Amino acid sequence: KSIEKANYDNNLNYSVKVSSDINDVKKSDKIVLPGQGSFKACREGIDNINGLKNELNESVLNRNKPIFGICAGMQLFATTGYEEKKTEGLNWIPGEVVKLELGESNLKIPHMGWNGVRWNLPDNDPIRKNLEDGDQFYFVHSYHVENEDERLSLMKTNYGYPFTSGLSYENCFATQFHPEKSQAKGLQIYRNFLEKLV
């Protein structure tokens, strides 16, 4: 619904469809990969749809179709995840998905609620149009991506220590937070994704 609103409010003329049908993935201009539940469960969900992993790889890696990963959807971009048990990711961005380790901190896991981001992009980059350092977004997670190449960290958030809260590499874009729960700033993120690489 949030993507539909960003699309409609900005006259972007996309047709938004929720689907796990491989033919819909093939025909799409852009893909959003949401994530709900554990890394392992999300990966198994992809594997349980015959041919979906292959089509995602074909769309993203060979046809360079823009994709937006959200929460566990972002984590699936990585090589390996360790939630529940060691599980292979899609390996689009080298890195591991590890548990938040807060040590003696009074902070709680899961990290749940509003937190700010610090961008690792120039102000004029289209993906951060109308977005600033310190903008607040809504998080619900216990694991995060440790990406091998820091240049791919789109943004960072501090929760006991700084972690990657957004990734960007060529046609792959992702956030650990939930834009759909982040009010106006979340809608702006969706708008920027829809407008970029049109």
Side-chain angles (χ1 to χ4, degrees):
K1 293 298 181 187
S2 295
I3 295 171
E4 286 178 347
K5 181 170 175 54
N7 178 52
Y8 178 80
D9 288 353
N10 298 288
N11 300 309
L12 298 177
N13 297 316
Y14 283 102
S15 173
V16 180
K17 185 172 188 179
V18 178
S19 178
S20 58
D21 187 302
I22 293 169
N23 289 321
D24 289 331
V25 177
K26 283 180 180 176
K27 291 186 291 187
S28 66
D29 296 308
K30 299 186 179 190
I31 302 168
V32 176
L33 182 64
Q36 186 170 356
S38 71
F39 182 97
K40 176 176 170 288
C42 288
R43 178 54 205 270
E44 287 173 349
I46 290 173
D47 291 342
N48 288 338
I49 300 169
N50 188 38
L52 181 57
K53 179 193 169 192
N54 289 340
E55 181 53 41
L56 286 171
N57 282 330
E58 178 66 23
S59 289
V60 173
L61 301 180
N62 296 332
R63 293 201 293 272
N64 296 315
K65 194 174 291 187
I67 186 166
F68 186 166
I70 301 168
C71 197
M74 165 175 150
Q75 295 173 4
L76 286 171
F77 286 14
T79 308
T80 310
Y82 291 93
E83 190 170 4
E84 296 185 51
K85 71 172 197 174
K86 184 177 179 180
T87 306
E88 288 185 6
L90 295 169
N91 197 28
W92 295 339
I93 293 179
E96 297 185 328
V97 180
V98 299
K99 189 164 188 176
L100 285 163
E101 296 291 349
L102 302 179
E104 300 298 316
S105 168
N106 291 326
L107 298 171
K108 295 188 184 336
I109 295 176
H111 171 207
M112 187 181 305
W114 296 88
N115 211 325
V117 303
R118 179 175 48 81
W119 287 87
N120 188 33
L121 285 176
D123 291 348
N124 62 352
D125 190 286
I127 207 67
R128 66 169 290 187
K129 177 183 172 185
N130 296 325
L131 295 167
E132 304 291 338
D133 282 338
D135 282 344
Q136 299 281 310
F137 296 93
Y138 193 84
F139 291 81
V140 183
H141 66 116
S142 300
Y143 287 74
H144 69 95
V145 176
E146 283 188 347
N147 43 300
E148 293 179 11
D149 187 343
E150 276 297 306
R151 293 172 299 179
L152 306 186
S153 291
L154 176 67
M155 58 190 93
K156 293 273 194 174
T157 293
N158 191 63
Y159 190 72
Y161 57 93
F163 67 88
T164 296
S165 53
L167 287 168
S168 181
Y169 177 65
E170 295 182 351
N171 53 313
C172 297
F173 173 65
T175 62
Q176 182 61 64
F177 56 80
H178 289 266
E180 76 280 4
K181 297 180 184 290
S182 301
Q183 300 178 0
K185 297 297 181 181
L187 288 174
Q188 185 66 48
I189 287 261
Y190 283 141
R191 175 182 180 176
N192 294 352
F193 172 72
L194 292 173
E195 288 183 335
K196 186 177 180 182
L197 304 174
V198 171

